[in-house]
Amino acid sequence: NAGVTQTPKFRILKIGQSMTLQCTQDMNHNYMYWYRQDPGMGLKLIYYSVGAGITDKGEVPNGYNVSRSTTEDFPLRLELAAPSQTSVYFCASTGDMNTEAFFGQGTRLTVV
Amino acid sequence: LAKTTQPISMDSYEGQEVNITCSHNNIATNDYITWYQQFPSQGPRFIIQGYKTKVTNEVASLFIPADRKSSTLSLPRVSLSDTAVYYCLVVSLTDSWGKLQFGAGTQVVVTP
């Protein structure tokens, strides 16, 4: 049982480049989330999804886009990378709101 | 979404009990209280969840008074490996349905 898998684990981007952070889960969870975590800070919710085809903004959505075409996958897209997007990104999923959420191992992104 | 307030940091010695109190004054009737633990360079991990009174598992206990405006996570006889950030979340099944938002958390440092 793989749980929540994020790829890549590390990435260095140049300013203005674009990339997609991949997240997939094999638990048939409806709810999926993307967070960013800056050094020494808590997690900030970027986007979330309550099911395939449904996404909504979190606290810090600017500069990011998401899609949810399947239950398993929830990719996060950065179109024009900026140094302010240097952070660790975590994807998570949960089957129901009152059950535990499972997190991926994170993607460490540096924009230079 | 109910706002949570918890101490920024707490220090403890090995073998002691650590109690972290979280305030959530505007918690709604259908909201649950959930705690997560995060080690450096890892995603958060679910510890415990409760609705009212007391919940205990192999890791921790969660005490919730009758008014539910606060909750206390109790870690018995901590060890060095309990050094982590602990997050208190209020999970709403009605308002802001689907959102899972983290605050700043409490950094717990356990020393020998």
Side-chain angles (χ1 to χ4, degrees):
Chain A
N1 188 351
V4 178
T5 302
Q6 291 183 236
T7 55
K9 288 186 171 53
F10 304 94
R11 183 73 185 267
I12 298 175
L13 276 183
K14 293 186 178 178
I15 295 171
Q17 286 185 322
S18 62
M19 77 164 294
T20 299
L21 282 68
Q22 302 290 347
C23 176
T24 187
Q25 51 92 8
D26 61 358
M27 298 171 283
N28 200 33
H29 284 172
N30 287 323
Y31 300 84
M32 294 189 74
Y33 306 87
W34 273 107
Y35 297 91
R36 61 174 288 172
Q37 186 172 37
D38 299 332
M41 308 294 284
L43 285 82
K44 294 287 188 184
L45 181 63
I46 305 172
Y47 271 96
Y48 67 104
S49 169
V50 301
I54 307 170
T55 62
D56 206 350
K57 296 177 181 179
E59 305 165 88
V60 290
N62 291 343
Y64 307 95
N65 280 301
V66 293
S67 59
R68 185 94 183 271
S69 56
T70 67
T71 300
E72 296 78 20
D73 301 308
F74 190 40
L76 178 71
R77 179 85 178 160
L78 283 72
E79 289 295 347
L80 290 170
S84 60
Q85 293 178 305
T86 294
S87 191
V88 179
Y89 292 83
F90 289 103
C91 178
S93 74
T94 184
D96 265 308
M97 283 304 294
N98 60 339
T99 57
E100 67 177 285
F102 295 86
F103 282 78
Q105 287 302 299
T107 295
R108 186 174 297 274
L109 176 67
T110 303
V111 182
V112 296
Chain B
L1 207 60
K3 179 179 167 56
T4 60
T5 302
Q6 52 183 121
I8 295 173
S9 64
M10 297 183 75
D11 295 327
S12 180
Y13 293 104
E14 278 189 297
Q16 289 187 330
E17 179 180 80
V18 172
N19 296 307
I20 309 171
T21 297
C22 178
S23 298
H24 27 79
N25 289 322
N26 58 339
I27 191 168
T29 303
N30 293 331
D31 291 350
Y32 283 76
I33 299 150
T34 309
W35 287 80
Y36 284 81
Q37 174 190 56
Q38 185 182 25
F39 298 114
S41 302
Q42 295 185 23
R45 180 179 73 114
F46 173 89
I47 301 177
I48 197 165
Q49 184 179 72
Y51 183 78
K52 61 180 178 181
T53 64
K54 177 183 174 182
V55 180
T56 297
N57 61 24
E58 65 276 6
V59 177
S61 295
L62 179 59
F63 299 91
I64 306 169
D67 66 6
R68 303 200 328 124
K69 293 185 184 298
S70 67
S71 60
T72 299
L73 176 74
S74 180
L75 305 172
R77 298 178 299 281
V78 293
S79 64
L80 298 178
S81 63
D82 293 313
T83 293
V85 178
Y86 294 82
Y87 297 95
C88 165
L89 280 74
V90 170
V91 177
S92 176
L93 300 185
T94 51
D95 182 41
S96 299
W97 182 67
K99 271 189 179 178
L100 195 63
Q101 287 190 198
F102 286 71
T106 297
Q107 173 70 63
V108 171
V109 176
V110 181
T111 54

